[in-house]
Amino acid sequence: MAIRWLKYMSFFALISCTLAGNAQQEQTHIKQWSLKECLAYAQQHNITLNNLRLAKQSADQNLISAKASVLPDLNASASQNATHYGTAQGDAGKSINLNGSAGLNSSVTLFNGGTLRADIRQSQLATEMADLDVSEAGNDLYLQIIQAYTNIMLDKETIVYAQDLVQTSQAQTEQMDQQYKAGAAAKKDLIQLQAQLASDQYTLTSAKNAERQDKITLKQLLQLPVDSAFDIVKADTTFALAAIPSLHEVIQDAINKRPEIKNSLLNIENSKLDLKKAKAGYLPVISLNGGIGTNYNNGTNIGTFRQFDNNFYQQIGITATIPLFSRKVNQTNVAKYNIAIKQAELDLLNTKTILSQTVEKAYINTQNAYSQYDASAEQLNYNKEAYRIAGEELRVGSANTVEYIQQKNLYIQALQAYTQAKYSAMLSLNVFNFYKGDFLENQQ
């Protein structure tokens, strides 16, 4: 029996080692993403951004079309007709007459009040604005990724200290169990430590679940398949309070660099071009046109090719279209685009106001996060020392289990508050620097 039992144990040990080796090998193949890699990957694969890039390509084609509108057009035409008719002589007098023509025609606009040039410039503005739309959507996506990535970093550190708490609770519970079996401790003390161990295990499980959920969120932002292996690089959990940039400086940098401000400025220029085109409606349109052609008819005695030569013609002319009365269309268009310019200017002012408020809010959040981080660090130091002392007192029997658990819970609360405050300060500073334009350049 002993030999058979050893064989079974050896078999199960072999299976366990194989599974552990496979799990370790699978873990090593999981790609670990840095924040910079996440941002770069999302920039290339996010569906929203790619849709906006396609819109930019469409705007590029409109620009090509607008530039080509100043060129003369060229059209070719050809016709062949057959006419069947009868005469008074009956069926024998019936005949078919063939005739045809061919020609080339071209026209070009010489003057239209600058409308064509305005169309070209508006198409250029449309391509620039489409490009800024991509940048603006990219900025929004970056902030979401920064938030999700920081949440995973917080989850990982929470898991680490939760594992330490579980290990400590397990050791204390085992020690108390030995004392209870030896008659040196009461059963209620053992039960209290077992309850604390269960609470610590619940905290650990919750932290692991939070990490899984936050990883899913980040994978969705990156457009990664749900079943793809994913993790972030082992982050540097140390954090030191850096100097907060000047609020005025960051607001000015944001106003000078942010795509939404540039978009609003281009929108004003676009509205002014609309006004210019509306005023051009009062002016004449002058165009140059010309053509060449020839024709033939088999009802004559002259040969077809001879007719092509004899009937060959060339034509050139200038056409002027002068607006005399447009039923107030031009007048109302001018008034509407004057209003549109004022609306665009108000939109720029509103965009600057919202951006300034957003930056100021990020500045205040950073200051508050710094203050909370300082306070939580001091609180953690005191509770950590008190928890250490309580553990020593419990070990030597000078403190009861209730007092120890109370102090441990205070330490856990302080540790959680400190961890939250640390990553909140880190995130707030990153967001604030993002508006300044320094964040992406500093990522590894």
Side-chain angles (χ1 to χ4, degrees):
M1 290 295 295
I3 295 175
R4 182 179 298 176
W5 183 81
L6 287 174
K7 288 182 178 179
Y8 286 148
M9 291 300 296
S10 299
F11 174 75
F12 286 126
L14 178 62
I15 294 296
S16 299
C17 291
T18 302
L19 293 176
N22 291 338
Q24 183 176 5
Q25 184 177 8
E26 181 180 355
Q27 183 70 21
T28 58
H29 283 83
I30 296 178
K31 176 174 174 55
Q32 294 183 326
W33 296 66
S34 67
L35 179 54
K36 186 175 182 179
E37 288 175 328
C38 289
L39 296 174
Y41 186 88
Q43 179 73 14
Q44 295 297 322
H45 296 86
N46 183 264
I47 293 176
T48 300
L49 291 181
N50 285 328
N51 278 331
L52 290 172
R53 290 190 182 99
L54 292 177
K56 166 66 166 53
Q57 293 178 17
S58 180
D60 290 339
Q61 295 303 312
N62 291 336
L63 176 58
I64 294 173
S65 178
K67 288 181 176 180
S69 64
V70 301
L71 302 175
D73 61 5
L74 181 63
N75 300 294
S77 63
S79 67
Q80 174 67 56
N81 301 304
T83 304
H84 177 264
Y85 60 91
T87 66
Q89 287 79 16
D91 292 343
K94 291 182 180 179
S95 63
I96 296 177
N97 177 261
L98 299 176
N99 62 82
S101 64
L104 289 174
N105 295 280
S106 178
S107 64
V108 61
T109 301
L110 300 179
F111 176 79
N112 66 346
T115 299
L116 290 179
R117 289 194 298 272
D119 285 338
I120 293 174
R121 179 54 186 159
Q122 283 188 313
S123 296
Q124 291 173 336
L125 293 178
T127 61
E128 294 176 26
M129 294 170 73
D131 201 31
L132 290 171
D133 287 338
V134 176
S135 299
E136 190 172 347
N139 285 342
D140 294 338
L141 178 63
Y142 285 164
L143 289 178
Q144 296 179 61
I145 291 176
I146 293 168
Q147 173 75 65
Y149 198 94
T150 304
N151 287 342
I152 297 175
M153 293 173 62
L154 170 61
D155 297 333
K156 287 186 173 296
E157 186 161 344
T158 302
I159 289 173
V160 170
Y161 80 67
Q163 288 173 335
D164 291 340
L165 292 175
V166 169
Q167 291 175 358
T168 301
S169 294
Q170 285 176 338
Q172 291 170 339
T173 302
E174 291 171 359
Q175 181 182 8
M176 185 62 69
D177 183 56
Q178 293 174 357
Q179 293 177 354
Y180 168 71
K181 290 177 179 179
K187 186 174 183 179
K188 68 173 185 178
D189 292 331
L190 175 60
I191 293 175
Q192 288 172 339
L193 286 180
Q194 289 173 336
Q196 182 62 42
L197 174 59
S199 176
D200 294 340
Q201 289 173 334
Y202 176 81
T203 300
L204 176 59
T205 301
S206 298
K208 290 181 177 180
N209 290 337
E211 182 192 24
R212 283 192 288 267
Q213 185 60 48
D214 289 332
K215 282 182 179 179
I216 291 175
T217 300
L218 183 53
K219 286 166 66 176
Q220 290 173 342
L221 292 172
L222 299 179
Q223 310 290 161
L224 291 174
V226 176
D227 57 349
S228 61
F230 176 85
D231 202 356
I232 66 172
V233 298
K234 185 176 181 180
D236 183 7
T237 59
T238 59
F239 176 71
L241 298 180
I244 302 177
S246 165
L247 174 60
H248 177 73
E249 176 188 353
V250 176
I251 289 178
Q252 285 303 120
D253 285 340
I255 289 176
N256 293 333
K257 298 177 182 178
R258 296 285 292 186
E260 54 264 43
I261 300 297
K262 296 179 181 178
N263 235 334
S264 295
L265 289 169
L266 294 181
N267 191 37
I268 293 175
E269 184 179 351
N270 187 65
S271 297
K272 290 180 179 180
L273 289 170
D274 280 330
L275 176 61
K276 181 179 180 180
K277 289 163 61 177
K279 290 180 177 180
Y282 290 109
L283 303 175
V285 176
I286 302 175
S287 59
L288 174 68
N289 55 77
I292 58 174
T294 186
N295 58 76
Y296 83 98
N297 190 318
N298 72 342
T300 67
N301 296 324
I302 304 175
T304 299
F305 291 102
R306 182 68 178 273
Q307 289 185 63
F308 278 143
D309 183 52
N310 292 343
N311 297 334
F312 182 72
Y313 68 89
Q314 306 87 40
Q315 171 266 328
I316 189 170
I318 294 179
T319 302
T321 303
I322 303 172
L324 299 178
F325 180 67
S326 64
R327 296 189 295 270
K328 292 192 175 182
V329 171
N330 293 329
Q331 181 181 352
T332 54
N333 283 342
V334 170
K336 285 166 55 179
Y337 289 122
N338 273 314
I339 295 172
I341 291 174
K342 294 178 181 179
Q343 290 176 326
E345 290 171 346
L346 288 175
D347 179 69
L348 172 61
L349 180 61
N350 184 58
T351 303
K352 287 182 178 181
T353 301
I354 292 175
L355 180 59
S356 298
Q357 291 174 344
T358 302
V359 174
E360 185 176 8
K361 183 179 179 181
Y363 177 75
I364 294 173
N365 288 342
T366 305
Q367 287 185 318
N368 292 340
Y370 271 33
S371 299
Q372 291 176 346
Y373 176 73
D374 278 334
S376 64
E378 186 175 0
Q379 181 187 35
L380 177 62
N381 288 333
Y382 289 131
N383 281 279
K384 184 177 182 180
E385 180 63 17
Y387 171 56
R388 186 191 65 79
I389 294 173
E392 290 295 323
E393 290 177 345
L394 179 67
R395 186 177 62 83
V396 299
S398 61
N400 59 45
T401 308
V402 174
E403 293 173 342
Y404 167 77
I405 292 177
Q406 288 177 343
Q407 191 56 57
K408 181 178 181 179
N409 287 333
L410 290 174
Y411 167 70
I412 293 174
Q413 293 172 6
L415 183 58
Q416 289 174 335
Y418 169 77
T419 306
Q420 289 279 357
K422 179 173 71 172
Y423 285 99
S424 177
M426 183 186 301
L427 176 62
S428 298
L429 182 61
N430 284 340
V431 170
F432 189 56
N433 284 332
F434 183 79
Y435 286 107
K436 189 176 185 299
D438 294 344
F439 175 76
L440 294 178
E441 290 79 0
N442 297 331
Q443 295 308 304
Q444 300 298 324

